[in-house]
Amino acid sequence: VSLAQANQMYVVFVWRSDAPDGAQPNVPDASAKAALPKLAARYKGNPQVMYGLQVEPHGTGSDWATLRPVFETMVDAIRVASAPYVPIVMVPGSSYSKDVSGAITDPVKRSNIVYKPHAYEASTDYQAMFGNTYNAGLPVFIGEFAPSDGATMVDMNALISYTQQRGIGWAAWWMDYSNQVTSALVLSATNLSPASPWGTTVRNAMLTTPTVAPTVAPTVVPTVVPTVAPTVVPTVAPTVAPTVAP
């Protein structure tokens, strides 16, 4: 976290499993519910630290109607640990976090919530999976995307264009260089140059994405109502005729 702060970066702690890169449960388990509040207490008040409730809910019990109340309970526990601060919490979707459309009619009823879909599908699915959620006025952040699981570089370029047009933030997957199924962003552990085409595409997108300046509330100058001096009506003393003695 301190290294991220020194480089003006954010850290998102997202629960996956007890073991490093282990198999994640279908839905957040007791370990997830215990770990995130501990992290929230440790990094209380740090604006560069955010939390994600799970990487990718899937399988039994991962439908949105079941997940939403679980997520609210987890957010409450994080809020208690981080009080009086209210850090951003990223909420995954169903179907391996691909679909956050359930939040349109049944949102997580807590503040500072961002919905975190993972985009590993064809670009024709974007609108249904998370575009409609964004159009409904809910905050969306693409938590993962890569040319993998059927998605191609054509889809990835379409996604980058889609997010730039709407001001949606994203994080590309992944820095791994071990020649696994998903394309790596960098060449190796000792050469962090971007790999082609995936790494170079992401790097170029990061360099060309416009910076959104924060909205500054205008300074309101109070209107001064001028004081109107009252009109003074002079008092006219009546003229009294003198009494003349005979």
Side-chain angles (χ1 to χ4, degrees):
V1 172
S2 60
L3 183 61
Q5 287 180 306
N7 289 275
Q8 299 181 333
M9 299 170 68
Y10 291 93
V11 174
V12 184
F13 287 115
V14 185
W15 175 259
R16 179 184 172 89
S17 60
D18 284 318
D21 202 25
Q24 62 175 319
N26 290 357
V27 296
D29 58 11
S31 296
K33 296 172 184 177
L36 292 173
K38 289 182 179 179
L39 288 167
R42 178 172 181 175
Y43 296 105
K44 179 187 296 189
N46 190 324
Q48 288 171 270
V49 175
M50 297 175 279
Y51 304 90
L53 301 183
Q54 188 179 0
V55 175
E56 294 177 337
H58 59 281
T60 304
S62 65
D63 60 285
W64 183 256
T66 302
L67 287 171
R68 195 268 304 155
V70 174
F71 290 158
E72 288 183 349
T73 300
M74 294 178 71
V75 172
D76 290 343
I78 291 171
R79 296 283 190 255
V80 169
S82 64
Y85 304 98
V86 186
I88 291 174
V89 176
M90 294 192 175
V91 174
S94 56
S95 301
Y96 286 89
S97 199
K98 293 180 179 181
D99 186 1
V100 294
S101 63
I104 298 173
T105 57
D106 189 22
V108 173
K109 300 174 182 65
R110 300 295 186 269
S111 61
N112 270 19
I113 295 299
V114 176
Y115 295 95
K116 181 182 70 66
H118 290 181
Y120 293 104
E121 58 276 325
S123 57
T124 52
D125 294 334
Y126 295 162
Q127 194 61 41
M129 292 296 189
F130 56 82
N132 292 335
T133 306
Y134 171 81
N135 290 345
L138 298 173
V140 170
F141 179 88
I142 310 302
E144 290 183 19
F145 66 111
S148 178
D149 295 338
T152 66
M153 281 302 303
V154 173
D155 297 316
M156 296 300 95
N157 284 314
L159 178 63
I160 290 170
S161 177
Y162 186 97
T163 57
Q164 286 180 331
Q165 292 170 12
R166 293 161 177 79
I168 298 175
W170 48 260
W173 188 256
W174 59 358
M175 297 295 286
D176 194 280
Y177 40 81
S178 57
N179 297 318
Q180 297 190 34
V181 177
T182 302
S183 298
L185 290 167
V186 297
L187 293 176
S188 69
T190 56
N191 185 351
L192 299 182
S193 299
S196 180
W198 182 221
T200 54
T201 298
V202 170
R203 181 178 185 275
N204 291 338
M206 292 175 68
L207 292 174
T208 56
T209 297
T211 301
V212 179
T215 302
V216 179
T219 302
V220 179
V221 179
T223 303
V224 179
V225 180
T227 303
V228 180
T231 302
V232 180
V233 179
T235 301
V236 180
T239 302
V240 180
T243 302
V244 181

